Amino acid sequence: MSTKALVAGVDEAGRGPLAGPVAAAAVILDPQRPISGLADSKRLTPRRREALDPEIREKAVAFAVAFATVEEIDRINILQATLLAMKRAVESLGVAPRSVLVDGNQCPRIACAVEAVVGGDGSVPVISAASILAKVARDRELCALDVRFPGYGFAQHKGYPTREHLTALRELGPCDQHRRSFRPVQELFPHHRG
């Protein structure tokens, strides 16, 4: 494959939730091994994402998934933590990309050409692939947290501020996977900013 084709797509999952890490994925697709059905992960059913995830991993030239922790989110803010996770994902690729396309309007600082594409997760297949890997990886992480921290319903709402999650947060207090810098957690538990 020519180096011209080595374009990585990058996207994140989990900027909005009140709990859990933020995930990012980087993917370099192989034009000789097309994958049908790539789309913005938010527009796909969980079952479809789970079916596409192994196909992307199997057919991609390279892929990587990385996280930024709750502690990092609280320390440097969610935008910077998201860019950090993206940078980690790109730097973890087994093949160095010639250029990188990132969903959104902000770019991580990385050592190659990088371009932000607003709405890229729905319009650029290589970003759609990254979107799917990031979403599946983060959802699995939240299902694991649901086992470690029962009662919050992480497996159902994935940390997003649903009515059920806010009710559980009020009743149980924050666990160590809640983002203390996020307003709903701060407002409920100002003394837990720690």
Side-chain angles (χ1 to χ4, degrees):
M1 176 185 298
S2 77
T3 56
K4 212 161 75 174
L6 293 177
V7 176
V10 176
D11 199 7
E12 55 72 29
R15 281 182 68 168
L18 305 180
V22 62
V27 180
I28 300 173
L29 292 177
D30 183 346
Q32 305 305 313
R33 306 184 76 195
I35 301 167
S36 64
L38 292 176
D40 175 1
S41 65
K42 294 183 289 296
R43 300 195 182 283
L44 299 171
T45 64
R47 177 177 288 181
R48 188 72 187 117
R49 288 193 300 263
E50 288 284 349
L52 283 166
D53 182 84
E55 184 179 359
I56 294 165
R57 290 168 180 262
E58 195 239 319
K59 291 183 174 177
V61 172
F63 69 88
V65 176
F67 294 90
T69 66
V70 170
E71 294 76 19
E72 288 170 325
I73 292 166
D74 285 340
R75 190 170 72 246
I76 62 176
N77 79 41
I78 185 60
L79 172 60
Q80 294 307 316
T82 300
L83 295 174
L84 177 62
M86 289 178 168
K87 177 180 168 71
R88 286 174 175 161
V90 172
E91 291 176 350
S92 298
L93 286 169
V95 176
R98 182 183 174 93
S99 63
V100 174
L101 299 174
V102 179
D103 181 59
N105 60 6
Q106 302 271 344
C107 294
R109 288 196 184 131
I110 46 180
C112 67
V114 59
E115 179 187 345
V117 183
V118 175
D121 52 359
S123 61
V124 181
V126 73
I127 299 178
S128 300
S131 162
I132 292 163
L133 293 193
K135 176 74 174 139
V136 169
R138 189 179 186 282
D139 283 358
R140 288 176 181 165
E141 183 73 15
L142 268 289
C143 288
L145 289 181
D146 190 62
V147 175
R148 283 178 52 206
F149 302 100
Y152 293 101
F154 290 143
Q156 284 72 47
H157 53 64
K158 307 300 188 286
Y160 283 89
T162 62
R163 185 177 321 142
E164 293 78 13
H165 188 188
L166 293 172
T167 298
L169 187 57
R170 270 191 291 273
E171 290 173 357
L172 301 172
C175 73
D176 71 7
Q177 287 298 306
H178 278 100
R179 301 172 180 179
R180 303 301 199 270
S181 58
F182 277 44
R183 183 170 291 134
V185 181
Q186 279 184 358
E187 286 176 352
L188 283 171
F189 299 96
H191 56 287
H192 277 288
R193 283 184 193 171

